[in-house]
Amino acid sequence: MKFETPSRFKFTPYLEREYQFGLDPNRPLCRGFLQFDGCPRGNSCPDKHLAPTFLNKIVCKHWLRGLCKKGLNCEFLHEYNLQKMPECQFYVKNGFCTQSPDCQYLHIDPASKIPVCFNYEKGFCKMGPECSRKHIRRMPCELYMTGFCPKGRVCEFAHPKFVGIYDYMIIKPNPKDKAKDETKQETKEEALQ
Amino acid sequence: MHIFKNLTEPTAVTHSLSCNFTGERNLVLVKGSQLLQIFRYKDDIPTKDEAPRLELITEYYLDGTVTGVTRIKTIDNYDLDSLYISVKHAKAVIVAWNASSFTIDTKSLHYYEKGLVESNFFEPECSSVAVSDEANSFYTCLLFQNDRMAFLPIIEKGLDDDEMPESGQVFDPSFIVKASRLDKRIENVMDICFLHEYRETTMGILFQPKRAWVGMKNILKDTVSYAIVSVDVHQKNSTVIGTLNGLPVDAQKVIPLPAPLGGSLIICANTILYIDSSASYTGVMVNNTHRQNSDLIVSRDQSTLDLRLEGAEVCFIQELGNTALLVTEDGQFFSLLFNKDGRRVASLELRPIEPDNFILSQPSSVAAGPDGTIFLGSRAGDSLLVKWYHGEPESQPEETLDDGNESDDDLYGGDTAQTEDTTNRPLKLRLADRMLGMGPMQSLALGKNRGSQGVEFVTTTGVGANSALAILTSALMPYKRKSLYKDMPGGQFWSVPVRFEEEGEVAKSRTYVVSSDSENSYLYYVDAAGVIEDVSLSTKKKKTKKHFVSNVTTIFSSSMLDSALLQVCLETVNIYDAKIGQPHKYSLPQGTTAVEARVLGNYVLVLLSDGQVKILEAVSINKRPFLKAAQVSIEPASESKAIGIYATDSSLTFGAPSKKRTRQGSPAQDSRPVVVVCYADGSLLLQGLNSDDRLILDASDLSGFIKEKDGQLYDAPLELVDIALSPLGDDHILRDYLVLLTPQQLVVYEPYHYNDKLRFRKIFLERTPTINSDRRLTQVPLINGKHTLGVTGETAYILVKTLHTSPRLIEFGETKGAVAFTSWDGKFAYLTQAGEVAECRFDPSFSLETNWPVKHVQLCGETISKVTYHETMDVYVIATHKTVPHVVRDEDDEVIESLTPDIMPATTYQGAIRIVNPYSWTVIDSYEFEMPAEAALCCESVKLSISDRKSQKREVVAVGTSILRGEDLAARGALYLFDVIEIVPEKERPETNRRLKKLVQDRVRGAFTAVCEVSGRLLAVQGQKLLVQALQDDLTLVPVAFLDMQTYVAVAKSLNSMLLLGDATRSVQFVGFSMDPYQMIPFARDLQRVLVTTCDFAIEGENLTFVVADLQKRLHILEYDPDDPQSYSGARLLRRSVFYSGKVIDSSAMVPINEDRFMVIGVCSDGSVTDVVPCPEDAYRRLYAIQTQITDKEAHVCGLHPRAYRYDPILPGTGNSPHRPILDGHTLIRFANLPRNKQNVYANRLGQRYQQLIWKDLELISDLFKKCI
């Protein structure tokens, strides 16, 4: 069982100043720090001071082995975060990897690469099951549907917008099926007569 | 700024001794090396098999680590035994019983600290062996640091003169002898004993001239020797009578055997040897490793038993003369037979004993008691008192005793002539008594209590088959609580059962409930369904309401004459008939009001505001009750005002206790009415109503023991809130305790007799009630078969006593408090502060034998190593392991054939994860690890964010394992994540509605030693690497941050995104985890070598401190303060204080006291729960001043000084650093148990303004669990 604990202590300002520790990870990047060689506000700057290498998206494979010579000028990320590894080329090509459990590169399931269908996200996709994009089934938020959800974006339920849905999008029954039904009915009527 | 305190007392027995200490057959126990308890074998309890039970006489916390207890006789006290208690760091204390004050007296102190070599490599713990010459009682000897012996010669009793020597001296001066002075060869002594059958004092010494161990067996074998040395201390010379060389290196200890058998036993790991008086031996080997390790030829081979004798205990059964009981460490019982050939012991033989449905593991000490009982003390689990008997009666159950004890003859109906026959009949053991034991507690989990929504503390206890979960609650939780009435006005209520007796009708009974606030009184009744109804709302009873006098305050109400209702108001006393007709009013004297009233039989005792006691008598005339002034009166004992009154039927005997009954008697029979009156000057009158029994006591000072008043009273007036003479205990032992309640404290006195006079001694209470003058003492009905006393208030308490404990205060776990207790029809009811009347019961499975109610559940017969609570699914998850034979494997897990298949294999562990349903406390699902010898090292329930985007968290159980393949191969391990899912239960088993589902299995090199949660990510320590891993959508773990660690991370704790990592050898490190970019920031570390067992955060407002417990029984308080220059701008943690706690704390948890104060609760290997409480600066300074006063000026038990105890000369850095020492809660609570004059003197030191605040400060250590109930 975990209890609610206080979050600020005597040394918290020091950690914030020295290590930028405990600040909101989603705070904006300090533009001054990136553009010029440092920010005049120094450690007291409320924005994020990141070495340029941290802005890169992909982990440097040489750095991981301790062999990167570029140091701060490297165009790849020098951070041990295997979520940001480059994709395994062998896996992309072949759908499997010979080094499977130990391979440090990302093995991304091809199915997960299919982009999400925007129409379905908005609330409706007329392509239905034949859509080439991914339809993720989610529960609509009851609060949102009845007017307003205070949670907004962080709500765990879907907030469908239902915009741009026109009459022509309505799924019509397949004309062939309809024709079949009609012929059946006719034969029945004939039999009755 | 921290206070260390024991929440529950140690329960693991470390030493035991049977002796005659108080004049009866006593058992002296030391629990957790610290708590000295003196028991009596109580055989007057009518049980089925007439086996004696143990009853606690008194107990003391010693400020020292006890290393041995033995008994001696001194000439000043030849009828009784004195205790020779050896304490760590080569100290010894001799204590004797003082019957007049019912306490122990310290006779002498013997400190040999100067003889200690600075640091002894082989004996860092500085344990010592204490032995005494039990046969002759001429000497005691204390062996320390392996080759130093401190002899204490006891002056012998002359043959003709009985009187003491003039000087009053009972000892000659003691002296230290190096072992090599006894004989040149003697070095590295392992164990010593005094042998019994010699005329001169003779010692058996087990020693090892050349150190060796089993691994060296090809080079060096059988290095242990045994010497029998005759010692003449007065001449200071010694003669070697015989030596025996070439004993196996695994010899452990030597046990002297009493005459007529004589000789001694040497217990080795694989053999048992018997050495007779001429140093020739015979032995028995108990497994086949003996032949490998030793060349010693042993006559008897019982190697098929496959026993391991490490940690085995032996107890010689004196009555049989040729048999001893052997208990191995894993709890197997054997009888060890000495087969005699003439007078010589020809051979030894082991015969297994099947115990009758009890389990014992890890015996720590055994003691033979009277009547064929043997006490088996245990380090893990319950300690047992067993009784031996001869089983398998081929003809008729018969018993033989050499001493022809009468009671046993009656018992077994045998006669004493048939000694020989019994040797062929197997010895059997039967359980007589069981003493709660909770050691070792290895893991602690906090869960939600299902009965009352509070917090329950679940820990693991025991080892092997004895292993169990112990569920502790900080208060006695109401169970099956039922609300009876919502808003009852007033702060007092009484239940009044009355009986209707109308002509022609069957007698009915009804319970009225009277309540009262400061202006009005109210009448209710309990209807047939057990619900309280307001009389005025019931149409039928309108009339009753009319006669009830409701516009006055009721002081007291009760039933009288079975069928009348008494109402004591401020100015009148009213009595009603069963139908609440017109009352008979008795007016109290003009100008006085009633303060308090009690009912005793037909009498009403009213305490008036002018200090007089008015006694009225109720009579029934024409079936109508009337009140009149009674004939009896109480002669005042003092000229001052009476301030408290109590009346009860009591079994106290004022004069000499009758012969048949012992001091406590068996009450309930022949109880007589007794009135207790307390006067403002502190004199206390005990007066038998209608009898001449009269005793005036002096309670003015509330001092240690009170006796008949003689001379001056303490002059400050006594403030008294309530007084009671209440029976406490259970059916086996019931005794009337005198309880005095003052605004600050509760004082409990136990009666005893000395010189045929009644005296009372104060019971040391481990906690004080919170300050509140609005309390009352109320008799409450039996709680789980125990007579208790309720203390009402905002925080209510219950005073409980059991056979094995002294009276203690247990908090009543009702969050809204209980301002009044009452009962009807055996129901327990109370009125909360909010005016709710509730009825409850108490879970009978909870034992009241510790300070906290505890419940034991045995689960699966395997050792439980870890426990954690899965909050979402409300189940406990445990990690267990069992012992399996070790199979040697190579790198690829291929089995290597053993070269010696017939030798008993080594053992290893095989683990499993199980879930326990907390409603039925049964295991409902298990996951056994696949790999051989795989066992869990850590198991934690964590809440993980599934991926970065989503805010919701998922609770999973993270388990880190290691594959225990021996030390030749690199460690491997695995990390598992389990989900607990809900399933449809099995038929007939509704509790099986949860199951484990494996989500992740990650096999890596290196063992997973610690896991915890940090900011929704999983922190796992894998070998010397720390990885923070994130759980992804596809339920795989991906590492996101990394840090190198030192040796072995034993514990990882997180607070928000800050981490405290405790290393098994390298102290703690304070680390931060930050996201975006993901990184671990090592803030600071401690550079000392501390063997961390557990660590945690303690919070007091803005101050965060780290509490670190280590294997050397120390507590460290560390702080992160980058502004302090000594911290090298935050790179090092600052050590604020070090404290010798005397306990190995194995696991801990942070528990809230209020919103911004968090304490650390730890569970210890000696089966106790402790806490470290952070406290505010001002209170800390006051308490520190009080502690200094008490340590410097008070006499300490056994002369052991608390400051010396907390300072360990062997361990550098202990002893409190001058500025910020940790306070010792046990010393502080002594303040509340001091006499009033001393309290005043010590509190005065704080200055007039702060005198009263000290009681408020004491609440800092006694009132901690508001948030947990």
Side-chain angles (χ1 to χ4, degrees):
Chain A
M1 241 160 100
K2 284 260 172 184
F3 301 96
E4 282 286 312
T5 50
S7 54
R8 289 195 74 80
F9 303 105
K10 261 201 226 152
F11 51 76
T12 313
Y14 175 83
L15 293 183
E16 285 174 353
R17 214 169 53 233
E18 280 300 306
Y19 301 101
Q20 276 81 49
F21 176 80
L23 300 173
D24 177 20
N26 299 321
R27 67 193 188 280
L29 280 174
C30 175
R31 291 183 161 271
F33 186 78
L34 278 179
Q35 281 171 9
F36 314 106
D37 241 14
C39 165
R41 284 177 287 190
N43 278 343
S44 56
C45 178
D47 293 342
K48 206 186 279 184
H49 285 183
L50 274 188
T53 170
F54 282 110
L55 296 177
N56 304 321
K57 293 283 180 244
I58 291 175
V59 178
C60 173
K61 58 183 180 182
H62 303 292
W63 180 81
L64 272 187
R65 297 162 65 196
L67 296 172
C68 182
K69 293 178 184 172
K70 292 184 178 173
L72 285 177
N73 299 321
C74 184
E75 56 268 37
F76 289 98
L77 178 62
H78 285 186
E79 177 193 333
Y80 183 83
N81 185 349
L82 298 189
Q83 272 177 330
K84 294 184 178 172
M85 283 299 286
E87 217 176 308
C88 175
Q89 290 304 317
F90 193 89
Y91 186 82
V92 171
K93 277 182 198 156
N94 305 318
F96 69 96
C97 179
T98 47
Q99 312 206 339
S100 208
D102 293 331
C103 180
Q104 285 197 322
Y105 296 94
L106 280 188
H107 290 179
I108 299 168
D109 187 8
S112 67
K113 283 187 181 173
I114 302 169
V116 177
C117 172
F118 291 114
N119 286 332
Y120 192 85
E121 281 282 282
K122 281 178 189 165
F124 182 76
C125 171
K126 75 164 187 167
M127 302 289 283
E130 282 150 29
C131 182
S132 62
R133 297 183 166 217
K134 208 193 292 180
H135 286 181
I136 301 169
R137 197 187 153 97
R138 293 173 73 193
M139 291 292 286
C141 172
E142 282 181 16
L143 293 173
Y144 179 83
M145 299 297 275
T146 48
F148 175 71
C149 172
K151 288 185 192 164
R153 280 189 185 177
V154 290
C155 180
E156 56 192 296
F157 297 107
H159 288 182
K161 296 231 162 43
F162 294 117
V163 287
I165 298 169
Y166 304 106
D167 282 350
Y168 70 86
M169 287 175 156
I170 292 166
I171 298 178
K172 294 173 184 102
N174 197 330
K176 282 180 191 171
D177 295 346
K178 204 179 179 184
K180 268 186 193 170
D181 284 352
E182 277 170 10
T183 47
K184 266 186 191 170
Q185 271 187 348
E186 275 167 20
T187 46
K188 270 185 190 171
E189 277 166 18
E190 276 169 22
L192 281 171
Q193 280 170 0
Chain B
M1 303 231 291
H2 294 75
I3 306 170
F4 170 84
K5 186 170 180 284
N6 272 349
L7 291 173
T8 69
E9 66 277 24
T11 50
V13 174
T14 48
H15 302 90
S16 63
L17 174 76
S18 268
C19 58
N20 175 16
F21 187 61
T22 65
E24 298 150 290
R25 287 306 301 265
N26 296 113
L27 178 72
V28 175
L29 292 186
V30 179
K31 288 180 173 171
S33 299
Q34 199 197 6
L35 178 64
L36 178 75
Q37 292 188 320
I38 294 155
F39 287 87
R40 102 159 50 86
Y41 288 98
K42 184 170 170 58
D43 45 14
D44 54 354
I45 293 174
T47 49
K48 270 175 270 166
D49 45 9
E50 299 192 32
R53 300 193 62 183
L54 292 167
E55 182 206 338
L56 183 75
I57 299 177
T58 179
E59 62 183 352
Y60 296 95
Y61 272 98
L62 305 187
D63 286 312
T65 307
V66 177
T67 58
V69 182
T70 172
R71 64 192 161 105
I72 56 170
K73 275 193 194 301
T74 53
I75 41 170
D76 60 340
N77 193 5
Y78 213 76
D79 303 327
L80 302 181
D81 289 330
S82 301
L83 297 180
Y84 180 81
I85 303 172
S86 74
V87 183
K88 199 173 155 181
H89 300 136
K91 291 177 207 167
V93 187
I94 292 169
V95 292
W97 182 247
N98 182 342
S100 77
S101 65
F102 218 71
T103 50
I104 57 173
D105 272 359
T106 310
K107 277 285 161 96
S108 65
L109 299 168
H110 303 272
Y111 284 23
Y112 308 107
E113 279 170 309
K114 282 190 180 162
L116 286 178
V117 184
E118 269 302 305
S119 64
N120 189 317
F121 180 78
F122 297 105
E123 257 285 296
E125 271 288 290
C126 199
S127 60
S128 46
V129 180
V131 288
S132 63
D133 188 0
E134 291 195 6
N136 304 319
S137 205
F138 293 156
Y139 302 108
T140 67
C141 177
L142 182 73
L143 168 75
F144 56 94
Q145 288 199 328
N146 287 346
D147 61 348
R148 267 140 234 272
M149 296 182 192
F151 283 96
L152 176 68
I154 303 165
I155 293 175
E156 295 164 36
K157 191 180 184 184
L159 287 172
D160 38 31
D161 55 325
D162 280 281
E163 65 260 28
M164 293 245 309
E166 301 275 305
S167 60
Q169 223 182 352
V170 291
F171 309 110
D172 283 335
S174 66
F175 53 90
I176 300 175
V177 172
K178 254 194 108 171
S180 52
R181 268 195 61 189
L182 297 178
D183 185 58
K184 263 185 199 155
R185 282 185 60 229
I186 300 180
E187 240 183 303
N188 302 328
V189 179
M190 301 155 86
D191 201 3
I192 51 173
C193 70
F194 280 101
L195 298 173
H196 284 259
E197 82 276 38
Y198 296 90
R199 280 179 76 99
E200 299 295 316
T201 303
T202 307
M203 295 180 79
I205 301 174
L206 193 67
F207 61 100
Q208 198 177 14
K210 210 164 192 184
R211 283 182 190 272
W213 63 293
V214 178
M216 292 168 77
K217 69 181 181 201
N218 293 334
I219 314 161
L220 210 55
K221 223 182 205 181
D222 298 338
T223 54
V224 176
S225 300
Y226 181 64
I228 300 174
V229 184
S230 166
V231 190
D232 187 342
V233 177
H234 297 290
Q235 303 296 324
K236 297 207 175 167
N237 62 19
S238 57
T239 327
V240 177
I241 294 175
T243 52
L244 193 63
N245 297 326
L247 301 182
V249 283
D250 48 27
Q252 293 160 3
K253 60 179 168 188
V254 48
I255 297 161
L257 298 176
L261 192 68
S264 52
L265 270 184
I266 296 179
I267 312 289
C268 311
N270 309 315
T271 46
I272 305 171
L273 303 173
Y274 171 80
I275 319 289
D276 69 8
S277 51
S278 56
S280 60
Y281 75 95
T282 178
V284 55
M285 74 171 90
V286 296
N287 60 39
N288 44 25
T289 7
H290 173 72
R291 287 204 191 87
Q292 288 229 321
N293 293 344
S294 169
D295 293 334
L296 188 79
I297 297 155
V298 176
S299 57
R300 197 180 179 98
D301 182 357
Q302 281 192 297
S303 54
T304 46
L305 288 172
D306 272 354
L307 284 187
R308 291 159 210 266
L309 292 179
E310 290 98 343
E313 289 291 330
V314 174
C315 177
F316 189 74
I317 301 175
Q318 185 78 47
E319 289 94 331
L320 287 176
N322 63 348
T323 311
L325 177 76
L326 176 105
V327 196
T328 64
E329 192 163 33
D330 51 357
Q332 287 169 285
F333 291 87
F334 289 90
S335 60
L336 179 66
L337 268 151
F338 301 88
N339 292 328
K340 278 192 201 168
D341 179 13
R343 289 207 54 191
R344 198 174 67 87
V345 173
S347 66
L348 302 179
E349 186 189 348
L350 281 171
R351 290 185 189 170
I353 302 177
E354 280 298 312
D356 297 1
N357 65 46
F358 57 84
I359 317 170
L360 180 85
S361 56
Q362 296 202 352
S364 58
S365 62
V366 290
D371 305 338
T373 53
I374 298 169
F375 180 79
L376 307 163
S378 165
R379 249 174 272 121
D382 293 355
S383 298
L384 311 170
L385 182 73
V386 296
K387 193 172 165 83
W388 60 263
Y389 64 103
H390 285 294
E392 295 300 306
E394 270 124 45
S395 50
Q396 205 189 343
E398 282 168 353
E399 175 60 19
T400 54
L401 285 170
D402 293 340
D403 56 0
N405 189 315
E406 274 183 31
S407 64
D408 282 73
D409 286 351
D410 296 344
L411 228 167
Y412 296 102
D415 66 44
T416 52
Q418 302 178 347
T419 320
E420 283 77 36
D421 294 347
T422 56
T423 49
N424 294 324
R425 287 198 285 154
L427 202 65
K428 290 221 144 199
L429 298 173
R430 183 170 55 203
L431 188 64
D433 200 358
R434 177 186 282 277
M435 201 178 290
L436 185 77
M438 295 199 290
M441 293 176 164
Q442 291 185 45
S443 177
L444 170 69
L446 269 55
K448 207 176 279 161
N449 189 306
R450 271 138 298 279
S452 61
Q453 297 305 309
V455 175
E456 63 188 11
F457 300 83
V458 177
T459 81
T460 64
T461 73
V463 168
N466 224 348
S467 194
L469 283 183
I471 300 107
L472 295 133
T473 51
S474 58
L476 192 61
M477 298 292 186
Y479 170 73
K480 299 199 171 162
R481 184 181 185 277
K482 197 165 104 187
S483 184
L484 297 179
Y485 197 83
K486 271 284 176 269
D487 6 73
M488 183 168 286
Q492 277 287 357
F493 86 135
W494 300 268
S495 66
V496 186
V498 291
R499 220 172 51 226
F500 290 87
E501 273 179 45
E502 285 176 21
E503 273 174 64
E505 268 187 47
V506 189
K508 284 195 297 183
S509 67
R510 169 182 293 154
T511 305
Y512 287 104
V513 174
V514 179
S515 94
S516 164
D517 58 16
S518 54
E519 284 169 2
N520 292 311
S521 303
Y522 309 89
L523 183 69
Y524 307 85
Y525 73 99
V526 182
D527 70 6
V531 180
I532 296 180
E533 299 277 351
D534 194 337
V535 172
S536 60
L537 297 178
S538 158
T539 46
K540 261 170 72 182
K541 308 221 165 43
K542 270 265 156 68
K543 220 170 76 192
T544 30
K545 173 79 179 171
K546 208 164 69 189
H547 296 299
F548 185 71
V549 183
S550 63
N551 54 356
V552 287
T553 308
T554 304
I555 301 292
F556 180 79
S557 181
S558 168
S559 71
M560 290 205 84
L561 306 167
D562 274 357
S563 60
L565 187 149
L566 175 84
Q567 181 194 20
V568 182
C569 306
L570 280 178
E571 282 161 3
T572 56
V573 181
N574 307 333
I575 191 159
Y576 306 86
D577 63 6
K579 291 199 155 178
I580 317 291
Q582 201 70 40
H584 173 245
K585 291 189 184 179
Y586 185 94
S587 300
L588 294 172
Q590 275 288 316
T592 60
T593 51
V595 177
E596 202 166 342
R598 303 279 176 187
V599 162
L600 182 62
N602 289 347
Y603 296 105
V604 189
L605 293 95
V606 186
L607 177 64
L608 301 175
S609 54
D610 63 354
Q612 301 291 318
V613 179
K614 182 96 189 157
I615 304 180
L616 307 177
E617 191 178 0
V619 287
S620 178
I621 302 168
N622 291 335
K623 298 207 167 154
R624 275 205 63 192
F626 288 95
L627 284 169
K628 62 171 190 182
Q631 300 297 323
V632 292
S633 67
I634 294 174
E635 189 189 329
S638 160
E639 285 164 3
S640 57
K641 277 169 70 175
I643 51 170
I645 178 173
Y646 195 81
T648 184
D649 282 328
S650 162
S651 57
L652 276 181
T653 42
F654 286 70
S658 59
K659 268 274 154 47
K660 179 76 185 140
R661 300 172 355 179
T662 41
R663 194 169 46 78
Q664 78 292 342
S666 50
Q669 299 125 25
D670 73 324
S671 56
R672 282 160 296 174
V674 172
V675 178
V676 186
V677 186
C678 185
Y679 295 90
D681 64 354
S683 44
L684 196 68
L685 170 70
L686 269 75
Q687 167 86 55
L689 210 61
N690 297 331
S691 74
D692 296 338
D693 290 337
R694 184 179 169 89
L695 190 66
I696 302 168
L697 301 167
D698 171 11
S700 58
D701 201 14
L702 301 177
S703 58
F705 73 102
I706 49 177
K707 53 183 181 185
E708 259 185 88
K709 179 168 151 188
D710 49 349
Q712 197 69 36
L713 294 168
Y714 180 60
D715 50 4
L718 184 68
E719 284 179 73
L720 193 80
V721 176
D722 208 351
I723 184 171
L725 184 69
S726 160
L728 295 176
D730 51 20
D731 293 342
H732 300 310
I733 166 118
L734 200 61
R735 203 181 292 171
D736 282 329
Y737 284 82
L738 190 61
V739 185
L740 280 83
L741 183 71
T742 72
Q744 287 97 17
Q745 56 180 352
L746 184 82
V747 188
V748 182
Y749 284 103
E750 185 185 79
Y752 69 97
H753 284 88
Y754 177 69
N755 282 349
D756 293 346
K757 279 190 178 145
L758 185 65
R759 287 183 171 194
F760 289 87
R761 77 176 178 108
K762 200 172 185 172
I763 299 287
F764 190 92
L765 287 180
E766 280 290 319
R767 68 188 299 171
T768 53
T770 52
I771 308 168
N772 181 356
S773 54
D774 199 17
R775 290 187 183 280
R776 292 186 75 80
L777 301 171
T778 318
Q779 203 91 52
V780 292
L782 295 180
I783 293 178
N784 298 347
K786 298 194 173 53
H787 296 263
T788 53
L789 185 73
V791 185
T792 65
E794 197 180 337
T795 324
Y797 299 89
I798 286 166
L799 193 65
V800 182
K801 181 195 159 47
T802 66
L803 198 57
H804 298 154
T805 61
S806 54
R808 58 192 59 208
L809 269 186
I810 295 183
E811 204 171 318
F812 178 57
E814 168 66 54
T815 37
K816 292 171 234 152
V819 292
F821 290 110
T822 190
S823 64
W824 60 85
D825 306 340
K827 282 175 185 163
F828 183 89
Y830 55 93
L831 175 67
T832 68
Q833 248 189 347
E836 183 187 359
V837 180
E839 171 208 324
C840 74
R841 281 193 270 169
F842 296 98
D843 193 344
S845 54
F846 275 86
S847 153
L848 296 174
E849 285 214 352
T850 55
N851 283 348
W852 281 9
V854 59
K855 170 178 172 168
H856 258 256
V857 278
Q858 296 212 336
L859 289 172
C860 54
E862 291 179 13
T863 306
I864 305 169
S865 55
K866 297 282 168 202
V867 58
T868 182
Y869 178 62
H870 194 289
E871 203 176 343
T872 325
M873 282 295 170
D874 193 17
V875 289
Y876 287 93
V877 180
I878 56 171
T880 66
H881 59 75
K882 62 182 175 212
T883 312
V884 291
H886 180 61
V887 179
V888 186
R889 288 165 198 272
D890 67 4
E891 199 71 52
D892 306 318
D893 278 336
E894 299 294 325
V895 177
I896 301 174
E897 286 298 322
S898 170
L899 295 172
T900 50
D902 51 331
I903 298 291
M904 190 169 57
T907 56
T908 185
Y909 300 115
Q910 180 71 46
I913 294 291
R914 300 172 201 279
I915 48 178
V916 178
N917 186 318
Y919 292 90
S920 63
W921 293 106
T922 47
V923 172
I924 52 174
D925 192 30
S926 303
Y927 176 85
E928 313 259 344
F929 295 122
E930 293 157 7
M931 297 294 287
E934 186 174 8
L937 296 181
C938 49
C939 170
E940 207 71 48
S941 180
V942 289
K943 284 181 179 162
L944 301 184
S945 312
I946 295 254
S947 64
D948 288 352
R949 281 182 286 117
K950 288 174 196 158
S951 57
Q952 81 249 42
K953 288 186 173 180
R954 182 162 174 176
E955 188 166 12
V956 292
V957 179
V959 181
T961 68
S962 172
I963 298 168
L964 310 163
R965 298 189 296 175
E967 58 206 14
D968 299 342
L969 300 174
R972 282 195 298 169
L975 178 68
Y976 295 85
L977 285 191
F978 291 100
D979 207 354
V980 180
I981 54 169
E982 197 160 0
I983 56 159
V984 179
E986 287 170 33
K987 259 187 189 172
E988 318 272 312
R989 289 189 67 197
E991 74 272 13
T992 58
N993 54 351
R994 302 277 191 274
R995 210 156 116 191
L996 283 171
K997 186 182 155 198
K998 189 164 80 180
L999 299 178
V1000 176
Q1001 178 179 357
D1002 206 358
R1003 291 205 177 279
V1004 291
R1005 292 188 198 95
F1008 277 97
T1009 57
V1011 287
C1012 81
E1013 180 233 316
V1014 52
S1015 314
R1017 312 291 186 284
L1018 177 72
L1019 177 140
V1021 185
Q1022 162 196 342
Q1024 281 78 39
K1025 253 186 320 189
L1026 179 152
L1027 292 174
V1028 179
Q1029 317 203 23
L1031 189 64
Q1032 289 194 310
D1033 283 332
D1034 57 352
L1035 296 177
T1036 52
L1037 284 173
V1038 177
V1040 294
F1042 166 84
L1043 189 69
D1044 274 314
M1045 301 311 296
Q1046 292 199 315
T1047 325
Y1048 179 99
V1049 177
V1051 54
K1053 290 280 165 85
S1054 70
L1055 178 73
N1056 306 325
S1057 54
M1058 291 179 285
L1059 286 161
L1060 188 65
L1061 303 161
D1063 196 286
T1065 61
R1066 297 288 185 127
S1067 195
V1068 291
Q1069 194 175 358
F1070 181 44
V1071 176
F1073 168 71
S1074 78
M1075 281 184 282
D1076 214 22
Y1078 285 103
Q1079 55 184 343
M1080 305 294 297
I1081 313 168
F1083 293 139
R1085 68 159 39 134
D1086 176 35
L1087 295 183
Q1088 276 201 15
R1089 293 211 165 192
V1090 178
L1091 316 177
V1092 179
T1093 54
T1094 186
C1095 55
D1096 227 310
F1097 303 93
I1099 303 171
E1100 205 273 306
E1102 279 216 313
N1103 299 316
L1104 177 74
T1105 44
F1106 311 116
V1107 180
V1108 180
D1110 73 8
L1111 208 55
Q1112 287 159 318
K1113 306 181 177 178
R1114 288 179 296 181
L1115 270 177
H1116 305 253
I1117 302 290
L1118 303 177
E1119 196 175 2
Y1120 180 63
D1121 186 3
D1123 297 332
D1124 192 315
Q1126 287 185 328
S1127 76
Y1128 293 83
S1129 51
R1132 289 186 194 168
L1133 292 176
L1134 296 169
R1135 179 168 268 94
R1136 290 301 184 205
S1137 50
V1138 185
F1139 180 81
Y1140 183 79
S1141 68
K1143 295 162 187 293
V1144 178
I1145 302 174
D1146 282 323
S1147 181
S1148 63
M1150 194 169 70
V1151 176
I1153 305 169
N1154 53 37
E1155 278 70 30
D1156 59 351
R1157 276 176 72 215
F1158 285 74
M1159 62 183 164
V1160 178
I1161 295 222
V1163 292
C1164 313
S1165 51
D1166 64 5
S1168 63
V1169 183
T1170 60
D1171 68 351
V1172 178
V1173 188
C1175 81
E1177 179 70 31
D1178 55 338
Y1180 173 83
R1181 291 191 178 198
R1182 284 191 291 269
L1183 291 173
Y1184 180 58
I1186 290 291
Q1187 173 173 316
T1188 319
Q1189 300 275 325
I1190 292 176
T1191 11
D1192 290 347
K1193 297 192 177 154
E1194 280 299 302
H1196 302 296
V1197 183
C1198 294
L1200 296 167
H1201 201 276
R1203 204 172 285 150
Y1205 176 51
R1206 301 304 178 186
Y1207 166 73
D1208 192 332
I1210 305 295
L1211 296 172
T1214 52
N1216 292 319
S1217 46
H1219 35 287
R1220 285 271 170 260
I1222 301 183
L1223 301 183
D1224 184 356
H1226 183 74
T1227 312
L1228 290 176
I1229 209 75
R1230 276 179 68 179
F1231 179 79
N1233 289 285
L1234 286 174
R1236 284 168 68 220
N1237 62 351
K1238 285 193 171 163
Q1239 282 172 353
N1240 279 343
V1241 169
Y1242 295 155
N1244 270 338
R1245 288 296 177 103
L1246 300 174
Q1248 285 293 328
R1249 278 173 64 200
Y1250 303 108
Q1251 226 185 77
Q1252 286 307 311
L1253 283 175
I1254 194 72
W1255 290 102
K1256 200 79 197 152
D1257 295 338
L1258 282 177
E1259 283 182 17
L1260 285 173
I1261 48 172
S1262 59
D1263 188 29
L1264 295 168
F1265 292 93
K1266 276 273 157 55
K1267 282 245 163 191
C1268 294
I1269 57 171

